[in-house]
Amino acid sequence: MTFVPSAAALRQQLARPHRTAGRHFLLPWLLLALLGTLWAVATPIGGSPDEPAHVVKAASVVRGELLPAEMITTGGVLHVPAAFAAEYAQGCFAFFADTPASCAPGFSGDPNEIVETFSSASLYNPVYYMLVGWPSLLLPDTSGIYAMRIMSAVLTSLFLAAAFWVVAAWRLPRVPSLGILIGVTPIVLYLMGTVNPNALEFTGGLALFAAMLGIVLDPQEKLLGSRLALVVVAAALVSNTRGISPLWVALLLVLPLVLLKGRELGALLKRPGVIVSILLIGITALYSAWWTLSSNSLGTGPSTGPEIVQTNPGVGLTPVEGFFGEIGNTYLRIRQMVGILGWLDTPLSPPLYFIAYALFGLLVLGVVLFVRGRRLVFVVLTALAFFFLPAFIQSFYVTKGGFIWQGRYTLVLMMALLVGMAACIASSDRFLRWQQRVDERGMLVASARRGRGLVTALAWLTGIAWAFIVSWAFLTTMRRMTVGYSVDWLQMFEPGAWEPPLGALPLMIAFAVVSLGLAITVAAAFRDPRPEPVIEEYDAVPPIDGYAAAPRI
């Protein structure tokens, strides 16, 4: 008679994975920072969406100009060194996929001269701009733009690495780590290498969400303090990136609590560290709300100004029409969240989208096969927020402002959904039994060996597929910038093609190598531990770690 232990007994016998700072935090941070830096160098000046406005804002904030002196139809009037204001003149190729970046005029004049310019981001919260804008004080010329991009890449990759670090301590870290990797789509890496607060929003949001999932799904008393610290820091920064960001923070904080029963939630909320964290998050959220309301940054965007000639499509529609119109744009938004690069003028090759969708589908299939009960409710609620909340928000804006929503605005929800599905799969009893079943001798039975082998094979295939997607997206965008989207690949290396710093070919090779290195790191370093022999089955297993005041789930 084959002995089949309960999931609780298996969890009791399952050893914690050995977590090291080098393999599970520093190495992912280094590789992610390198990928963002390569994008920062490869993207021509003025080559990413809205970056000129953000560069001007960052350069003005670190020079003490937090708000504009006056508002005009193109934004607020700011004063920055001429080299940063000149980025507006570099965008002759924006929106025109077959126009290479070589059309941009070179900068002439004194780069240090303070000039009057404008920014549509002039009223935005200054926190992100302070963090990434300081290199412009040291390099007040075009090189300062690259330096600000690299600073943004280092900062945002830190939060992605923190998410990897959090899941590395979970009992079964392999699937959650793959969920993070799958969520790092080409557009994620691309925006990390630009000056854009959107990148801090979705990377910080993912770190916050991973820490919350760790608190409720994998309670460990010794890690509660560090997890709460990550939640507080990430929530503070994300709340102060964009005007709508406090809403995402609230969702990312509340949704994981659905995974707790009432008594568990009550016990968690009574802990002093949790109470202090809530107060700190509330203070930073209040500051964000104060800035947004006092500056009116959500109500005075250029597209709503009284003298704007061009308007967005959909102006004049009712909120109901705007809601269903945005629902109809769902597939386009998902494509944008995988990657339509440049100024939304560089779509990827169709097979890349299909591979990305297949990786998303693996997590959905895992939910269907393994997730039940409270975890399934959590996944459904997160999916509903992802699909319908943007349309709901858009419906309030459409009548006067038209359709303004882009896929990158919802990247934080997409990444949370993917990681949330992965976390629920890995923590489910069905998955645990399928992967860790042992017989009366304490040996893994054949079905479990096949299950573990299949997960390992899928991890390596996922890593390879991910590296292929992001590398090919990098190559595609490089071709678009050097010679034009529709031009033959080999013309990238002919005389007259636009050339990024360090050269196109070295950057492409470096990106492929680093992306493969990250894929190998995730597949190899985040392995699930094998269980120790199960001696007997328990009806109720006391927690071997967790919170003294909150039962394990």
Side-chain angles (χ1 to χ4, degrees), residues 74-97:
T74 51
V77 175
L78 298 174
H79 302 83
V80 298
F84 305 125
E87 187 170 7
Y88 287 111
Q90 308 299 304
C92 53
F93 53 91
F95 306 111
F96 303 103

Side-chain angles (χ1 to χ4, degrees), residues 38 48 71 128 194 213 229 235 264 273 317 320 348 466 486 518 531:
L38 289 169
S48 64
M71 294 295 296
Y128 167 80
T194 68
L213 289 174
E264 296 168 334
L317 294 178
V320 173
L348 307 180
W466 176 86
S486 303
L518 180 60

Side-chain angles (χ1 to χ4, degrees), residues 53-203:
H54 295 305
V55 163
V56 168
K57 171 69 174 179
S60 68
V61 165
V62 296
R63 287 167 173 79
E65 193 174 26
L66 301 184
L67 286 169
E70 61 175 312
M71 294 295 296
I72 57 177
T73 57
T74 51
V77 175
L78 298 174
H79 302 83
V80 298
F84 305 125
E87 187 170 7
Y88 287 111
Q90 308 299 304
C92 53
F93 53 91
F95 306 111
F96 303 103
D98 289 324
T99 301
S102 56
C103 71
F107 176 77
S108 61
D110 181 5
N112 294 305
E113 180 188 0
I114 301 298
V115 299
E116 184 177 279
T117 184
F118 66 92
S119 172
S120 58
S122 62
L123 299 178
Y124 287 9
N125 194 304
V127 171
Y128 167 80
Y129 301 102
M130 290 179 179
L131 294 173
V132 304
W134 62 266
S136 71
L137 297 173
L138 306 176
L139 300 168
D141 54 23
T142 303
S143 61
I145 297 176
Y146 288 108
M148 285 191 282
R149 289 176 174 179
I150 293 172
M151 186 62 225
S152 186
V154 171
L155 174 65
T156 54
S157 61
L158 170 65
F159 284 103
L160 288 184
F164 278 116
W165 175 247
V166 167
V167 304
W170 295 0
R171 288 202 178 276
L172 297 176
R174 168 153 274 171
V175 174
S177 67
L178 292 176
I180 296 174
L181 188 68
I182 292 170
V184 182
T185 59
I187 189 68
V188 168
L189 293 173
Y190 172 67
L191 290 173
M192 286 169 58
T194 68
V195 181
N196 195 316
N198 200 179
L200 180 58
E201 179 184 63
F202 56 69
T203 55

